[in-house]
Amino acid sequence: MRVDLRALHGELLRRHGPQGWWWPGEDPFEIAVGAILVQRSRWEQADVAVTALRARGLLEAVALAATPEEEVRELVRAAGFPSQKPRRLRALAAWWAERAPQVPGLTDAELRAELRGVDGVGEETADAISLYCFGRPAFLCDEYARRALAERGHAVPRSYAAFARALAPSLAEAAFTVAELAELHGLIVEEGKAAALARPRPARPTPGVPVPSGLRPSSRAPRAAAARRPAAR
């Protein structure tokens, strides 16, 4: 799959304007915490949880790692998945407290591998943390990127890893800086949000009027995307 990513960047920049560093957060650890909390949730939900952690002084890795999981659970309940996210946050905090000072000595691949070893840090979350927290070159092969390229006629592999492999030659050719990669992700998200708003919504059925089977909504609602950005995995 060959994609002119420079042309895509220019197209989206003209349409949506500069995005800058884009991912919300006051410091790298807060950004990483947000990347965990927004998994399979909307950003508004994650932001409520981030605000609660900040109010308790727990947006600091050592403090969060030392806080009992039950206490963390109550603070981040708004972000959903209360049996998973508190555990994942404490695992991330423990890794951060021990390993973040050593990150400058790690290669990009070594950093990503360490992040992938943290409970709850999937491929997309690892790329988000690498890029926005540690300033390492990474492209988020998320659902927004998938749709942006598919809508422009590209055959996008289904899995995250296969998508990343297929896009690697195009990324190498584009030779983006870290700042450009951060902005490109923000632009792709803005494009996805705008496209979602522009799509026609199915008409609501009139009470008592049968709906043709082909127009019935699926019983499985699509996973909601985060308002700030797509839900990371």
Side-chain angles (χ1 to χ4, degrees):
M1 179 177 66
R2 286 291 179 143
V3 183
D4 188 341
L5 292 171
R6 282 283 173 187
L8 177 64
H9 184 278
E11 173 197 340
L12 299 183
L13 184 62
R14 289 188 295 273
R15 184 172 301 142
H16 302 291
Q19 303 297 304
W21 202 239
W22 182 77
W23 195 300
E26 296 179 3
D27 60 49
F29 183 64
E30 180 178 330
I31 291 172
V33 166
I36 293 290
L37 289 171
V38 81
Q39 292 173 346
R40 300 174 67 186
S41 300
R42 292 178 293 109
W43 178 250
E44 291 86 353
Q45 295 171 283
D47 191 43
V48 171
V50 169
T51 299
L53 290 170
R54 183 185 298 113
R56 294 291 293 272
L58 295 182
L59 287 179
E60 195 278 323
V62 174
L64 181 55
T67 302
E69 187 172 318
E70 295 75 14
E71 183 176 342
V72 177
R73 180 177 295 112
E74 291 307 311
L75 293 171
V76 303
R77 191 172 294 278
F81 299 91
S83 66
Q84 297 176 357
K85 290 187 179 179
R87 183 184 72 248
R88 292 176 176 182
L89 285 174
R90 294 179 73 248
L92 173 69
W95 176 88
W96 196 284
E98 180 181 355
R99 295 296 294 160
Q102 280 73 52
V103 165
L106 300 178
T107 66
D108 298 339
E110 288 170 339
L111 171 60
R112 193 177 191 275
E114 285 208 19
L115 288 169
R116 290 284 285 115
V118 177
D119 181 23
V121 177
E123 293 177 298
E124 184 180 332
T125 303
D127 285 336
I129 293 174
S130 293
L131 177 61
Y132 285 104
C133 300
F134 295 108
R136 300 300 182 91
F139 182 89
L140 275 69
C141 297
D142 59 7
E143 191 60 29
Y144 281 114
R146 180 182 304 280
R147 289 178 181 174
L149 297 187
E151 288 171 357
R152 287 160 177 79
H154 298 286
V156 183
R158 293 180 63 85
S159 76
Y160 192 100
F163 185 3
R165 287 193 299 271
L167 200 61
S170 299
L171 281 168
E173 185 176 299
F176 288 120
T177 65
V178 167
E180 287 174 326
L181 285 166
E183 178 165 73
L184 178 58
H185 176 62
L187 288 166
I188 288 172
V189 172
E190 291 305 310
E191 175 75 359
K193 288 159 58 178
L197 290 173
R199 292 189 192 102
R201 296 173 179 264
R204 292 182 178 275
T206 302
V209 178
V211 179
S213 59
L215 299 181
R216 288 179 188 144
S218 169
S219 61
R220 295 187 298 169
R223 182 179 299 171
R228 64 66 183 108
R229 58 148 274 107
R233 292 183 293 277

